[in-house]
């Protein structure tokens, strides 16, 4: 264990302004037994050249240049190349805290765990904010105790992020085919994290902020209509993954359905305004999905009335009320950007 090898998996796409800080934060760690896999996913700026520059300077760095395939398949490429005992994920516009790997190795040796979940600092242009702790420091989840994580994963996005996890190679679903999720643009982390949480035997949570997460940068995503299809596919899959009969998830499933339909309503308001043709095409597919129908059936009695109205009007192609509802939407939603 003393010389455990870490594989650091970094998808790269048009982040030349931040990429050097990202890579430097890894190579300057005081633990050296690692490999850094940079997958340039069809960048059109200078990101690819920066990757090559670092590979020439450090033999631990491997670079692949590929045509744009999207985040989920780019990460799968990196996973299949990795040779380490433990995998970590890092977005190329973010960076690590100093001595992160040293602390992670200490926890691995102390607890003999196969997953660690850690906290982050959110980095804004004018301030840095430490995220609130999810659980007590050094909380351990094993066996049926993982039901807490199952429930929290269904009820909220707080456990979704891959970049705030370190996972042992043996729990990574290296051979799983994610091809049918190639078009997923929202919820990739939730999908891939679910299998890891399910496979882990012992998970340790630390409140330490080891990851520095930039807000509103080049890797941020706009709220496009395709996101409706993405979250529908991902949420449906999450319910299947966590429904193993070990714990009672009925209430969490209902909360998940309710949050999902709220998200769809926000997409309807924003996407109909910004790109009505795209919106209609995607929503017509979403409303025919079994997951969407099940969600409406299961939580129709507890949905807020305004959500019911928005879904009803969209399903029946009646858009005047939707346009009026958009005008009442708080400004914080109208920006439509989230990383």
């Amino acid at each position: 264990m003393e010389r455990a090898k870490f594989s650091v998996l970094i998808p790269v796409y048009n982040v030349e302004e931040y990429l050097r800080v990202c890579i430097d934060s890894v190579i300057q760690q005081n633990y050296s037994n690692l490999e850094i896999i940079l997958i340039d996913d069809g960048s059109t700026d200078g990101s690819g050249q920066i990757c090559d520059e670092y590979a020439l300077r450090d033999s631990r760095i491997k670079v692949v240049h590929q045509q744009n395939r999207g985040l989920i398949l780019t990460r799968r490429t990196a996973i299949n190349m990795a040779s380490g005992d433990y995998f970590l994920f890092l977005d190329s516009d973010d960076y690590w805290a100093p001595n992160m790997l040293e602390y992670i190795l200490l926890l691995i040796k102390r607890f003999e765990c196969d997953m660690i979940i850690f906290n982050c600092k959110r980095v804004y242009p004018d301030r840095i904010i430490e995220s609130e702790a999810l659980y007590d420091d050094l909380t351990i989840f094993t066996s049926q105790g993982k039901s807490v994580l199952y429930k929290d994963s269904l009820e909220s996005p707080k456990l979704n992020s891959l970049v705030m996890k370190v996972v042992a190679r043996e729990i990574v679903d290296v051979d799983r085919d994610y091809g049918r999720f190639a078009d997923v643009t929202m919820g990739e982390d939730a999908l891939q994290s679910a299998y890891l949480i399910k496979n882990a035997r012992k998970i340790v949570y630390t409140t330490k902020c080891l990851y520095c997460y930039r807000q509103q940068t080049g890797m941020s995503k706009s709220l496009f209509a395709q996101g409706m299809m993405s979250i529908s596919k991902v949420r449906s899959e999450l319910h299947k993954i966590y429904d193993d009969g070990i714990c009672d998830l009925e209430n969490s499933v209902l909360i998940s359905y309710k949050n999902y339909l709220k998200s769809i309503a926000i997409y309807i308001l924003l996407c109909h305004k910004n790109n009505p043709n795209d919106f209609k095409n995607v929503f017509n597919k979403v409303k025919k999905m079994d997951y969407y129908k099940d969600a409406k059936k299961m939580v129709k009695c507890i949905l807020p009335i305004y959500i019911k109205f928005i879904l009803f009007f969209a399903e029946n192609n009646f858009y005047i009320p939707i346009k009026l509802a958009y005008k009442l939407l708080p400004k914080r939603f109208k920006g439509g950007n989230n990383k």
Side-chain angles (χ1 to χ4, degrees), residues 221-286:
K221 299 173 182 176
S222 295
L223 201 60
F224 294 116
Q226 180 58 33
M228 287 190 292
M229 180 62 72
S230 295
I231 62 171
S232 301
K233 292 175 69 172
V234 168
R235 298 312 298 182
S236 176
E237 191 71 11
L238 290 185
H239 286 208
K240 296 174 186 175
I241 295 169
Y242 289 127
D243 184 17
D244 58 7
I246 293 178
C247 57
D248 181 7
L249 297 176
E250 182 178 355
N251 188 59
S252 296
V253 167
L254 292 178
I255 293 172
S256 177
Y257 278 142
K258 184 178 178 181
N259 291 339
Y260 161 72
L261 291 176
K262 285 183 176 180
S263 297
I264 293 296
I266 295 295
Y267 271 99
I268 289 170
L269 292 176
L270 293 177
C271 296
H272 178 260
K273 170 68 176 178
N274 298 332
N275 198 331
N277 291 331
D278 248 13
F279 155 74
K280 293 175 185 177
N281 179 48
V282 175
F283 184 68
N284 282 336
K285 296 177 182 176
V286 168

Side-chain angles (χ1 to χ4, degrees), residues 10 18-26 29 89-98 100 118-124 127-128 163-164 209-215 217 339:
I10 308 178
Y18 306 103
L19 184 54
R20 294 181 189 278
V21 173
C22 171
I23 301 173
D24 285 342
S25 75
V26 180
Q29 294 285 313
F89 303 87
L90 174 58
D91 285 348
S92 51
D93 52 350
D94 298 334
Y95 57 97
W96 283 351
M100 172 180 169
F118 41 87
N119 220 0
C120 76
K121 296 179 181 179
R122 297 190 178 274
V123 181
Y124 295 86
R127 66 196 187 282
I128 297 177
V163 297
M164 285 180 272
C209 295
L210 303 177
Y211 192 93
C212 300
Y213 190 92
R214 293 188 194 270
Q215 302 289 289
T217 66
K339 187 172 175 184

Side-chain angles (χ1 to χ4, degrees), residues 146-160:
K146 290 195 301 179
S147 64
V148 174
L149 302 181
Y150 288 15
K151 292 176 180 179
D152 287 343
S153 296
L154 288 173
E155 294 178 15
S156 79
K158 63 186 180 182
L159 286 171
N160 286 356

Side-chain angles (χ1 to χ4, degrees), residues 153-209:
S153 296
L154 288 173
E155 294 178 15
S156 79
K158 63 186 180 182
L159 286 171
N160 286 356
S161 184
L162 271 179
V163 297
M164 285 180 272
K165 298 179 179 74
V166 56
V167 296
R169 162 181 286 278
E170 57 260 31
I171 71 168
V172 178
D173 52 340
V174 176
D175 298 322
R176 189 177 301 278
D177 182 7
Y178 280 80
R180 65 193 175 98
F181 298 106
D183 60 343
V184 166
T185 58
M186 299 289 289
E188 309 100 328
D189 280 21
L191 176 64
Q192 294 172 92
S193 291
Y195 285 111
L196 299 175
I197 292 171
K198 186 79 173 286
N199 292 341
R201 295 182 301 277
K202 180 187 286 187
I203 300 172
V204 175
Y205 171 79
T206 175
T207 59
K208 284 190 178 295
C209 295

Side-chain angles (χ1 to χ4, degrees), residues 298-331:
M298 294 297 295
V299 298
K300 63 181 179 181
C301 295
I302 60 174
L303 272 181
I305 191 68
Y306 72 94
I307 299 293
K308 293 180 183 179
F309 278 135
I310 291 170
L311 298 177
F312 173 80
F313 291 136
E315 289 172 2
N316 291 279
N317 301 312
F318 189 30
Y319 297 114
I320 293 176
I322 291 175
K323 292 178 181 178
L324 294 174
Y326 175 81
K327 293 180 180 180
L328 300 175
L329 196 66
K331 288 184 178 179

